[in-house]
Amino acid sequence: MPPKFDPSAVAILVVRCTGGEAPAGAALAPRLGPLGVPAKKVGEDIAKATKHLKGLKCTVQLTIQNRNAEVAILPSASTLLLVELKEPPRDRKKVKGVVHNGNLTLDQVKKVARELRSKSMAKHFSGTVLGVLGTAASGGCTVENESPRAIQQKIKDGDIKIEAYDAEARWVIDLSFSLSLLLSFSFSLFLFLEREREGKGERERET
């Protein structure tokens, strides 16, 4: 038999969902059931935590311990840019092929870049801004009524100066998240190896 589940152990789950909506129970239950957490309650908590992102795709991290789940939103450039565009909510089941053709200011782009700085691998803050501009170009919006690609080129040419932002890069302050994922993987591997050992012991006894 597999080892008894330890409810005090910390488990990390990452879930992709739509803001303001509870993920399907069929998607959550197989992952939360073995941890002793009710999928319905977690779904309601996710919907409540992401209500300000209504209708937008977002990623949440579930930290589970003692059969309780804490919900944290993992920011992404595309979601944050859509929030800055302030587009009206759409029914994603009825409205397809939406083009996000709004206009952003450079300050809004910098604001998004600051929120993402801790995840960025860029050496300088300007590199993070360039990455956000690339996402804006893919989404179809403009920046200062110009193409985001044109703004990128102006930054590279030095025509637009991006001030330094005092925040450490991902490899420094995102270490805790990486360790959490490693801990979750190690726990899953431990359970798998224990099941294999128990199964091997039962087969040897039968023979």
Side-chain angles (χ1 to χ4, degrees):
M1 295 180 63
K4 187 177 180 181
F5 171 66
D6 180 11
S8 63
V10 178
I12 306 292
L13 298 179
V14 177
V15 179
R16 187 73 172 166
C17 63
T18 301
E21 299 180 14
L28 288 178
R31 304 174 69 182
L32 296 176
L35 302 175
V37 181
K40 182 178 179 180
K41 181 180 182 304
V42 173
E44 292 172 351
D45 291 343
I46 291 175
K48 187 183 300 183
T50 60
K51 62 183 179 181
H52 64 290
L53 301 175
K54 184 175 178 60
L56 303 178
K57 287 290 185 180
C58 55
T59 305
V60 297
Q61 174 183 295
L62 303 176
T63 303
I64 300 168
Q65 187 177 27
N66 294 324
R67 295 185 171 84
N68 290 319
E70 292 185 5
V71 181
I73 300 174
L74 300 180
S76 66
S78 57
T79 301
L80 293 175
L81 286 173
L82 291 177
V83 171
E84 291 298 322
L85 284 172
K86 297 180 174 59
E87 295 180 345
R90 297 183 177 91
D91 188 337
R92 61 189 181 90
K93 296 180 180 179
K94 296 180 180 179
V95 182
K96 305 293 183 181
V98 177
V99 178
H100 307 286
N101 54 3
N103 181 64
L104 296 168
T105 65
L106 188 56
D107 287 338
Q108 287 178 302
V109 173
K110 291 178 183 178
K111 177 184 174 182
V112 172
R114 291 189 191 99
E115 294 190 51
L116 297 173
R117 182 58 181 153
S118 62
K119 297 175 61 179
S120 174
M121 297 297 289
K123 185 177 181 180
H124 302 292
F125 180 57
S126 58
T128 306
V129 173
L130 290 173
V132 174
L133 286 168
T135 303
S138 300
C141 62
T142 58
V143 177
E144 302 291 356
N145 295 311
E146 294 186 55
S147 165
R149 300 296 184 193
I151 301 295
Q152 281 183 322
Q153 193 59 50
K154 289 183 179 181
I155 293 174
K156 293 176 182 178
D157 293 341
D159 297 333
I160 296 178
K161 302 293 184 182
I162 302 297
E163 68 281 1
Y165 177 62
D166 186 21
E168 300 179 62
R170 176 181 181 177
W171 57 274
V172 177
I173 70 173
D174 206 34
L175 180 61
S176 59
F177 177 64
S178 300
L179 290 176
S180 298
L181 290 179
L182 179 61
L183 179 63
S184 177
F185 173 76
S186 300
F187 180 69
S188 301
L189 180 60
F190 169 75
L191 291 179
F192 173 75
L193 293 176
E194 283 295 311
R195 293 191 188 100
E196 288 294 309
R197 185 178 64 82
E198 292 291 336
K200 183 179 179 181
E202 290 180 1
R203 290 193 295 271
E204 289 178 350
R205 287 193 293 270
E206 290 175 356
T207 56

